[in-house]
Amino acid sequence: MPAETTTPPPVPEAAVPAEAVAPLIRGVRVLRELTEAGGTLSLSGLERATGLARSTVDRITSTLARMGYVRLDGRDAVTTPRLMELGNAYLAALRLPALLSPRADALADELDESVSLAVADRDGIRFIHQATRRRAMSLSFRIGDLLPAERTAPGPLFASEWTDENWRAWRERRAADPVNRGFSAVPPRELPFPDSEFEARAAQAGRDGWALDDQLIEPGLVAVSVPVRDPRTGRIACVANVVSHTSRHTAADLRDTLLPRLRATVAEMERELAAAPDPDPGPPPSGSAAWIGASKHELGREFIESLARGLTVLTAFGEGRAALTLTDVARATGLARATARRALITYEHLGLVRGQPESRTFGLTPRVLSLGFPPLSRTSLPRIAAPHLADLSARVGESTALAVLVSSGPTAEIQYTARAVSPRIMGVDIRVGTRLPAAATSLGRVLLSDPEDSAASAGFARVRSQGYALLDEAWEDGLRTLAVPLRDRTGRAVAAVNVALHAAGRTAEECVAEILPELRLTASRIEQELHAAGHFTRVPLL
Ligand code: PHB
């Protein structure tokens, strides 16, 4: 065994149930290793990390690619933002991010410090929201990162509710992994502290109703935490944290100056939870069973149906769909009951789903966030778009670009944020970062025509109604460009994509007939990923 391994040390594992779906277990292993590697791993790297045969890795990655969850880029498998659908299903079902993140963000603005929300994940804590400050001196965790409870401020608060069984599991893990190698988000602990120290912190946190982290993760990093209680059960729903650096606040300082404001925010959060109406169950995903059958027909051996079916089960959950019966899951996914049941048994075994025997329902656990979420939660629109622009450029043999509006009014400008050049010698050459007058470019015109910008949009009614702009650009002789908008989840045009070509190459009519459908296809692929990424994170536009 190599010394550097991402797999946690051997805490005794429960035996695999006879009905578990082996290909689903292997597929989840591949997704976990890809996530641990930051979202990209070569196929041979995956083979080593998972211990699976190369042919198995190939079949799993082609199945995931077909589902839009990974992209195969040469020898690498790369997770795509579509994979965030799985974590989004958990976060939407949980509802806490939607209900509480506005208050967390407002507190971060007020204090000018990072504020986060974390839930308990067995004997660890996992982040479900981050309102992060941009500072040089700040290490900040990503949504979905898992930390050992004993090295955090929320940990002792959650531990104040632990059962004997929880404590036993925690001691076992500590004995097997005293330096936290199983937690890739934190540096290893060089001098492990005795169990009794955390036991005392948990008892104290239970009495105080708040807790501190005085550089338990890293020198300089300090945090103060307060539990947000579920108004129905009185138990801790999540913990709100203010995180700082010793260059600004000592831990004692955090307690004296910021704890009162954190407590006030938590009181508001608890009122928010108490007042929240029951969620409207959103629509389940549109029946996927038919799609899976077609993919199998097309790809044959390279498509693992049982993996695709199993992953679909996770997307049956969502807002207003937190606790589903087997019948609900089968209906939402279009899968046979027996298939849905075996997938749920597999997920329970993997700790991704928890069954509620009294109500005969199942729900997702925070561990679903370990399937791709942390690295993807830090993506940006240019990064999402880049592979799609390259693909479009290869399909149409022309240069393509992405741009955003960077100012408004009569002198509005666009800025190029990503592009892909065609292999032609006479290609269009506009570098990322270039700014141009918006009204003089097709990219700018589709952005100015968006109804939101009502003053500017008046002149571009036609662009708006046809959904694209086609222009012979005045600033470069012979350059013809065609652009369409990219819309966020709310329908607002946040960026535009274009194809730029030599006017001599295609007439305006040929551009519309031949290029526009390809451009629209690319825009819709980018939008799908942008919407998945933007559900619970803010995706930077440049
Ligand atoms: C964080 O949100 O980054 C955070 C929260 C609690 C800790 C440490 C870090 O104890």
Side-chain angles (χ1 to χ4, degrees), residues 146-479:
L146 178 71
L147 273 48
E150 68 275 16
R151 283 177 66 189
T152 68
L157 290 161
F158 287 121
S160 69
E161 294 186 340
W162 280 359
T163 60
D164 290 348
E165 171 56 28
N166 293 141
W167 280 106
R168 192 192 54 72
W170 175 76
R171 283 188 201 99
E172 251 174 42
R173 189 260 290 162
R174 293 257 301 166
D177 180 22
V179 298
N180 302 143
R181 272 192 220 293
F183 295 84
S184 58
V186 298
R189 176 96 203 171
E190 275 152 30
L191 297 169
F193 41 77
D195 285 3
S196 57
E197 195 173 314
F198 182 60
E199 290 159 6
R201 283 179 70 217
Q204 185 70 39
R207 288 191 294 272
D208 293 343
W210 53 271
L212 289 177
D213 164 0
D214 190 0
Q215 310 176 70
L216 294 167
I217 293 168
E218 278 229 326
L221 180 69
V222 289
V224 60
S225 302
V226 171
V228 181
R229 292 189 180 273
D230 182 322
R232 281 174 302 274
T233 62
R235 290 177 58 85
I236 302 176
C238 68
V239 169
N241 317 292
V242 175
V243 191
S244 189
H245 191 271
T246 46
S247 59
R248 295 190 300 281
H249 291 284
T250 62
D253 212 19
L254 274 186
R255 178 197 58 214
D256 297 339
T257 61
L258 304 189
L259 175 59
R261 290 200 264 179
L262 174 59
R263 285 186 135 153
T265 293
V266 165
E268 289 169 4
M269 288 177 167
E270 290 178 342
R271 281 196 288 278
E272 195 85 49
L273 292 185
D278 280 345
D280 263 341
S286 44
S288 41
W291 174 88
I292 292 171
S295 298
K296 181 68 188 173
H297 191 74
E298 200 178 313
L299 297 183
R301 242 187 84 74
E302 290 307 296
F303 187 80
I304 309 172
E305 272 174 298
S306 53
L307 171 57
R309 288 191 183 121
L311 289 174
T312 301
V313 162
L314 297 177
T315 64
F317 296 84
E319 181 166 5
R321 310 176 57 77
L324 300 180
T325 63
L326 174 56
T327 308
D328 295 334
V329 172
R331 195 174 294 145
T333 56
L335 297 173
R337 274 176 71 89
T339 309
R341 185 171 159 272
R342 288 189 61 193
L344 289 166
I345 289 172
T346 309
Y347 285 132
E348 260 195 295
H349 166 69
L350 296 172
L352 296 162
V353 157
R354 199 173 298 125
Q356 233 67 61
E358 323 81 64
S359 55
R360 312 186 111 229
T361 59
F362 299 87
L364 301 182
T365 73
R367 207 182 246 212
V368 172
L369 292 171
S370 71
L371 307 180
F373 213 91
L376 289 166
S377 71
R378 287 285 169 84
T379 194
S380 65
L381 182 56
R383 272 162 62 194
I384 291 174
H388 298 287
L389 296 183
D391 192 44
L392 174 62
S393 180
R395 290 203 310 273
V396 300
E398 305 288 356
S399 296
T400 70
L402 178 76
V404 295
L405 217 46
V406 286
S407 58
S408 57
T411 59
E413 287 187 318
I414 56 157
Q415 179 172 325
Y416 280 73
T417 55
R419 63 174 203 148
V421 289
S422 80
R424 294 186 182 216
I425 298 166
M426 293 275 290
V428 180
D429 189 24
I430 302 165
R431 272 168 300 167
V432 166
T434 301
R435 289 185 175 203
L436 291 170
T441 63
S442 62
L443 287 164
R445 287 187 179 191
V446 293
L447 291 169
L448 292 174
S449 78
D450 196 49
E452 290 248 327
D453 198 341
S454 51
S457 70
F460 300 113
R462 169 117 185 265
V463 171
R464 179 163 73 235
S465 66
Q466 65 193 11
Y468 67 86
L470 176 67
L471 196 64
D472 288 333
E473 310 234 336
W475 51 273
E476 187 167 331
D477 214 20
L479 178 66

